[in-house]
Each structure stands twice: as C-alpha cells, then as structure tokens.
Amino acid sequence: MGWYGDYLRWLYRGGRPNAFARLQNRWSAWAFGLGVLPHRAAALGVRGRRSGRTVWFPVVLTDHDGGRYVVSMLGEHTNWVRNLRAADGHAVLRHGRRETVRLIEVEPSRRAPVLWRYVQVAPGARPHIPVGREAPPSAFEPIAADYPVFRVEPCRGRRDQ
C-alpha cells in the first residue's frame, strides 16, 4: 500500500486517532452527513457514555446479503464501540437524511464475510486490518473476534438523539 498506507496507519498510531485524524474525522463526518460524498460514507452519531453528548464520526456502510453493516476498523477498544454498547446499540446515521437506527452486534463466528466485504469497499480501512483484499472470506475468520461488526436496523418509536 506504500506511502498512503503508512499515512493512514500514522493517523491512528496506537489504535487511537491523532490530532490531525480527529480534525479530519470531524470534517468527514460533517461532509458525509450532508450526503455530498460517496454513497457508502455516512456520519454515525452515538451518545457518549460519560458526557451524554452525541459524538459524530465518519463510517463506511458495508452491504452484505441484503443487510447494512458498520465495522470498527480499529478493533474492539475504540470509544465509539464502547459508547454504542453503553447505548444498547441506539445511534443515528446521516447521509443527506437522518435515520434513527439500532446497531446489533454480529457474533464473531458470522463476521468473516462482512469483514471481507468491508475491506473490498473501504480503502481507508485496509492498512488497519491484517488480511489483504485479495484473500478469500475464510481468511478473515481468525481475526473476526478482534473487529466488531454491527448490523444496521431501523429503529422506530425512539426519538432522534
């Protein structure tokens, strides 16, 4: 992946975004939320487990077998995953329009095909996932437990955050 992969890894050295990555993520979440950039990109809003404020960040929506999914490219210990679990999966997606959703965590034994698809459609995530895009879906099974995957379900009857 060369210099671009090195740059993407530098943004998240140690599994956390540096100051420039945080700035870039804010801008990307804003732009993706407006719906002006790629159709797979969206802004995900999750209520902070400590602050109670909705925190927005950019995500790539991954399609697989008729479902939509969100993947944590940095793995298990990201703040948005912790916040989402504390919020019982309740979140908001924005891509031109606002959609209240519930993100249901996928069991590790069922994640490999979604992770494979994610690597196909999310070039920015490739340097963070140790299986190449040319690998078959079965190659993602050994790492599946390390990368949370959430199925996007519409949430009716809950007010937007």
Side-chain angles (χ1 to χ4, degrees):
M1 188 158 245
W3 69 268
Y4 185 63
D6 292 342
Y7 166 72
L8 293 174
R9 280 187 292 278
W10 170 78
L11 288 173
Y12 295 95
R13 192 175 21 205
R16 301 190 56 80
N18 64 27
F20 185 70
R22 287 191 301 275
L23 178 67
Q24 188 175 327
N25 286 343
R26 277 191 202 106
W27 183 87
S28 295
W30 175 79
F32 294 169
L34 290 176
V36 293
L37 292 174
H39 73 281
R40 290 188 188 283
L44 179 64
V46 179
R47 188 171 308 278
R49 64 192 182 284
R50 293 184 189 143
S51 70
R53 290 179 317 129
T54 299
V55 180
W56 294 92
F57 54 92
V59 294
V60 172
L61 294 173
T62 304
D63 59 315
H64 177 69
D65 275 349
R68 295 183 301 161
Y69 296 86
V70 175
V71 175
S72 174
M73 74 177 187
L74 297 178
E76 201 49 51
H77 304 291
T78 60
N79 275 329
W80 78 263
V81 169
R82 291 177 181 146
N83 288 341
L84 184 67
R85 288 174 177 156
D88 195 30
H90 293 282
V92 177
L93 278 175
R94 284 192 328 207
H95 183 81
R97 66 182 176 86
R98 189 177 182 105
E99 178 184 9
T100 304
V101 296
R102 179 130 187 258
L103 300 182
I104 309 296
E105 193 158 2
V106 175
E107 299 173 33
S109 64
R110 297 176 171 260
R111 292 178 185 172
V114 179
L115 289 170
W116 174 82
R117 179 71 177 140
Y118 179 66
V119 169
Q120 304 303 307
V121 301
R126 292 178 193 147
H128 304 287
I129 297 180
V131 178
R133 121 183 211 190
E134 318 77 33
S138 61
F140 289 82
E141 290 170 6
I143 65 157
D146 299 330
Y147 293 90
V149 173
F150 299 90
R151 188 180 72 251
V152 178
E153 294 290 331
C155 188
R156 304 206 190 327
R158 179 176 158 98
R159 300 178 75 169
D160 284 349
Q161 296 180 354

